[in-house]
Amino acid sequence: MSSLAATQKREAALLLPLYDRYALKIVRGNGVHVWDEKGRRYLDFLSGIGVNALGYNHPAVRRTIAQMSARGLIHLSNLFYTDYQAALAERLTKLSGLDRAFFCNSGTEAWEAALKFARAYAQTKADNREPKWRVLAMEDAFHGRTFGSVACTWNEKYRKPFVPLLPGVEFVKFNDVADLAAKLDDTVCAVGLEAVQGEGGIRPVTKEFIQAARALTKKHGALLICDEIQAGLGRTGRMFAYQHFGVAPDMVTVAKPLAGGLPLGAVLATNDVSSVLHPGMHGTTFGGGPLACAVALTVLDVIKKDKLVARNEQLGRYFRGELEGLKKKHRAVAAVRVLGLMAALELDNADLAKSVAKQMLDRGIIINRTHETALRMLPPFLIGRQHIDAVVAALDSILSAEMKGKQSQPASKRSTR
Ligand code: PLP
């Protein structure tokens, strides 16, 4: 096996320069931990950015992969029937309250498909007195990197190099009902939002806003699309994050944790949306393959059998309490936002957040920084309180040392907070 330095050198020469990786080479994983090439163990509080909900090397996931591999059913294309898509659709529709599913390979593909379905719905159903193709997305939203999804993604750094993007997308101030009402009229075909913004810094929607979005979209014949790619499938202590707020969307997108680490995304939609679609309008070669769908069924089985959704809610309450304790103790903590196992500790400056994330890694704990100042934690559903305690103790110690360092600096060098 090559060393970290050798791998870094090879990648620098051979890969398109699109990732800024941690200086860490992971060689194996088990449970809530991964190991680097020197045998050092890391507690993973990011779980592959929300993908590895069942951690690493889960026996049930391993078993299903082995069974499907032995059966020779890894890929088949969407030209044939298998048992798995309908079975998975049945589970996801029951859990979400929607009627039907379309399977694809990733989050951005799911969002892209949902946008296309919304445009098709508007074309078919609208009375066509005026064009109906505007899409309202939220400030601070993240929906992916393909052209439609990135057009709905707020941070300009993701959009600017690639203009012109999908036309017709406008941004609404998140949780600002007046701004939504001002922008939403009969020319809008869809309003899209994350019930808890992930890349945006773990920011939950307000009940008032999402309920207003539901009412206004109904009034203007637009669809409400909830992006549950990061927050969905149990992470927030509900199967879907919108279920905290008593709304029923027209479409829901899921991906990340769905297939235990294999690429799989889905759009869940109502029968009404489905009524405008027909064979050939949209599709994918890989999406919904038998291996990925079989593993997804296993993931949902484990989540149900081990009652992980309720457990996530309880653990989240404990996590919130502990992080609130840090806020009371450290002036640098600006805010705490936790819903289930989606947590952010917002610090009062970006450099500090960067430094704390790096120091956590030095201490063997993986978290990340998002939205400049938010330390984001998306641990696997398998963690216990002892893991939360370890993370909070490390954050406490790092923040204390940072404060001491600041105080021992001459006043002229202290950053103003
Ligand atoms: N939507 C949300 C809310 C996400 O968090 C992400 C990824 O972080 C995406 C969409 C895009 O998913 P993918 O990276 O699988 O394309």
Side-chain angles (χ1 to χ4, degrees):
M1 192 193 310
S2 31
S3 67
L4 170 65
T7 304
Q8 284 173 317
K9 199 168 160 208
R10 290 183 83 197
E11 285 208 355
L14 292 166
L15 301 189
L16 295 178
L18 294 170
Y19 294 109
D20 195 8
R21 304 194 202 278
Y22 300 134
L24 197 62
K25 187 165 157 184
I26 301 296
V27 295
R28 73 183 182 94
N30 194 43
V32 298
H33 294 103
V34 291
W35 282 259
D36 72 10
E37 92 279 18
K38 292 187 189 125
R40 180 156 190 230
R41 191 177 84 159
Y42 294 82
L43 173 60
D44 186 1
F45 255 50
L46 194 58
S47 58
I49 323 185
V51 169
N52 298 323
L54 300 187
Y56 297 86
N57 202 21
H58 193 284
V61 170
R62 244 180 29 216
R63 209 175 306 125
T64 303
I65 292 175
Q67 280 164 359
M68 294 304 287
S69 175
R71 199 173 293 172
L73 278 187
I74 289 174
H75 169 74
L76 204 63
S77 91
N78 281 301
L79 295 176
F80 301 96
Y81 292 99
T82 64
D83 281 332
Y84 307 98
Q85 286 200 14
L88 184 55
E90 188 170 46
R91 300 282 289 279
L92 290 171
T93 51
K94 262 197 193 124
L95 293 166
S96 63
L98 286 136
D99 302 311
R100 288 166 181 270
F102 163 76
F103 294 106
C104 53
N105 307 285
S106 65
T108 198
E109 272 182 67
W111 192 255
E112 204 73 35
L115 291 176
K116 286 177 76 178
F117 301 161
R119 287 270 176 89
Y121 182 87
Q123 264 188 39
T124 311
K125 298 266 178 170
D127 59 16
N128 282 343
R129 260 174 302 173
E130 36 184 348
K132 187 177 181 65
W133 50 273
R134 287 170 61 225
V135 171
L136 300 184
M138 300 298 133
E139 292 190 3
D140 288 318
F142 185 92
H143 297 292
R145 310 290 198 138
T146 50
F147 269 109
S149 301
V150 85
C152 299
T153 289
W154 166 249
N155 193 330
E156 217 194 347
K157 79 176 180 196
Y158 297 132
R159 289 184 281 121
K160 207 172 165 194
F162 307 111
V163 292
L165 307 174
L166 178 77
V169 179
E170 275 167 65
F171 291 98
V172 169
K173 287 194 180 70
F174 191 47
N175 287 336
D176 184 330
V177 176
D179 196 35
L180 178 68
K183 290 171 180 159
L184 180 41
D185 59 23
D186 289 351
T187 65
V188 170
C189 69
V191 172
L193 57 84
E194 297 154 85
V196 183
Q197 291 189 328
E199 304 294 311
I202 316 294
R203 286 169 207 277
V205 74
T206 60
K207 193 167 187 176
E208 185 203 5
F209 186 79
I210 196 168
Q211 290 192 345
R214 180 64 286 183
L216 288 166
T217 44
K218 276 220 167 106
K219 179 173 162 203
H220 292 287
L223 300 177
L224 178 64
I225 317 174
C226 283
D227 183 339
E228 293 276 334
I229 289 162
Q230 191 165 140
L233 301 173
R235 176 164 293 284
T236 67
R238 294 284 185 283
M239 201 62 196
F240 294 93
Y242 62 80
Q243 292 169 338
H244 287 280
F245 309 103
V247 291
D250 301 293
M251 279 192 275
V252 168
T253 54
V254 286
K256 287 184 183 284
L258 181 55
L262 294 173
L264 182 65
V267 180
L268 310 175
T270 58
N271 278 328
D272 187 30
V273 172
S274 170
S275 71
V276 307
L277 305 174
H278 58 74
M281 268 176 87
H282 188 66
T284 150
T285 301
F286 285 109
L291 172 66
C293 288
V295 175
L297 285 163
T298 298
V299 169
L300 294 177
D301 282 343
V302 174
I303 289 176
K304 186 175 174 190
K305 185 169 70 58
D306 295 349
K307 301 185 171 58
L308 295 180
V309 181
R311 192 171 174 275
N312 287 351
E313 187 176 30
Q314 284 163 12
L315 280 170
R317 258 188 244 125
Y318 178 72
F319 203 2
R320 177 199 293 276
E322 295 303 296
L323 292 176
E324 291 286 358
L326 289 184
K327 181 166 182 289
K328 281 196 194 107
K329 188 166 167 192
H330 300 284
R331 259 190 321 130
V333 178
V336 167
R337 293 184 292 273
V338 181
L339 203 61
L341 292 186
M342 242 182 141
L345 191 73
E346 175 96 33
L347 301 185
D348 67 359
N349 78 80
D351 288 342
L352 179 64
K354 199 172 180 179
S355 163
V356 174
K358 161 85 177 53
Q359 290 180 64
M360 289 292 278
L361 195 62
D362 295 341
R363 289 172 182 241
I365 298 172
I366 300 172
I367 62 171
N368 94 325
R369 181 180 70 127
T370 187
H371 208 256
E372 299 292 319
T373 46
L375 296 174
R376 174 172 54 165
M377 289 158 278
L378 302 169
F381 298 176
L382 308 180
I383 58 159
R385 286 188 176 201
Q386 73 278 19
H387 300 114
I388 292 176
D389 292 343
V391 167
V392 171
L395 287 168
D396 189 16
S397 148
I398 292 166
L399 289 169
S400 298
E402 286 279 342
M403 281 304 109
K404 255 195 209 136
K406 284 265 138 42
Q407 277 153 15
S408 61
Q409 272 178 20
S412 60
K413 286 207 168 162
R414 277 181 220 160
S415 65
T416 43
R417 285 232 165 98

